[in-house]
Amino acid sequence: MHSAFWDHLKEQLSATPPNFTCALELLKEIKEILLSLLLPRQIRLRSEIEETLNMDLRKQEAEHGTLDVPHLSKFILNMMTLLCAPVRDEAVQNLENITDPVQLLRGIFKVLGLMEMDMVVNYTIQSLQPHLQEHSIQYERARFQELLNTQPSLLDHTTKWLTQAVADLTTPLPTSPDTPDSSSVDCRAPNEAVNNPEPLSSSMVLSQGFLNLLLWDPENEEFPETLLMDRTRLQELESQLHQLTILASVLLVASSFSGNVLFGSPQFVDKLKRVTKALTEEFNSRPEEVMVTVSEQVSQEIHESLKNMGLAALSSDNTASLIGQLQNIAKKENCVCSVIDQRIRLFLKCCLVLGVQRSLSDLPGGLALIEVELAELGQKFVSLTHHNQQVFGPYYTEILKTLIPLP
């Protein structure tokens, strides 16, 4: 029956003059499907679909033999590209290579059917997600309690981890001119609660404890038992933090030599970020060699961009200084990297206290150029720690009762 329908459509479109009866019915169904895929806020797309697939107007065109099926099919494909899930991108792109109008419409209907199914699946998942998450929390906690019943010492490392976090927040640290200015930020910098008269709270201690995990010595086997399942993910976040420290340090040094004109260009910044990310992938294994390559490439990019914009080139002294400062980033004691590292950790702590979006609105200096990357890092860190607290919160509360006076 399906084949007969499409054969009939082909006969109608091949007739002289063309018969658009079936084509109009198909366009009407396609319009309804596209509209069903829209979200309430997508008003502009809804208007475009209503206007382009106005069936009264298209019926008039069909009666005069001027209905442009290929043009309408192209519009439909563009809408599908905007609305489909990433998994359907390839299928939609393949439709663009089909020249036969009947086969194209047939392919469009097939992919639209998959897109409708995707929408139903996504809605179902979103509806079930809170229930699944709550079940996961209860299940993980119950399993841990079973282990704790047979191994009473199972929380020893967790207790030591929280004890260290309390010590970090109550032990005075020497002030340093390189310490990031947190006066404009409504959260404490790492290890900065010492001079604050506000009494310690469980959330402050946990935030400090989670941040300490991003500095964990890999040879230290006393990892908190409540976070063992997340250890690999935390190591990945630590690696990502280090990569962002190097990236932001390179951008900060480069911007100090090339001025606001170059770094006011999003295209230049994006290109410099792509180049730096690609070249620093092996930074951990051979930092000096990598930074030599980075310094040469960054210097070249700045030189070419200044030339293309008709701006004065860097002097030989400034070029040498730029290259030297970039290469110094490879040193462990590099002050630029130290400051950037502290500020990224300050940002992460703010994410735990204020949330990612509020923290992004007031970034510490030197981090604005990596805002997108920081948002991704902050969201991953907050999601991990939030779920962990939901599962193990009762255990943390009992431990903290012995470490700090709780209200």
Side-chain angles (χ1 to χ4, degrees), residues 175-180 339 343:
T175 57
S176 166
D178 292 334
T179 300
V339 171
R343 290 178 177 178

Side-chain angles (χ1 to χ4, degrees), residues 155-171:
L155 286 171
D156 286 1
H157 295 166
T158 301
T159 302
K160 184 176 291 188
W161 163 62
L162 291 175
T163 302
Q164 182 60 52
V166 171
D168 291 339
L169 291 169
T170 54
T171 304

Side-chain angles (χ1 to χ4, degrees), residues 7-23:
D7 290 342
H8 183 54
L9 174 63
K10 186 172 184 179
E11 290 176 5
Q12 286 191 341
L13 294 180
S14 301
T16 305
N19 184 342
F20 295 108
T21 304
C22 286

Side-chain angles (χ1 to χ4, degrees), residues 263-283:
F263 277 79
S265 166
Q267 293 80 8
F268 173 77
V269 174
D270 288 343
K271 184 178 181 181
L272 203 60
K273 286 167 72 171
R274 289 196 305 270
V275 169
T276 303
K277 288 177 182 178
L279 294 177
T280 54
E281 287 182 354
E282 300 182 7
F283 181 89

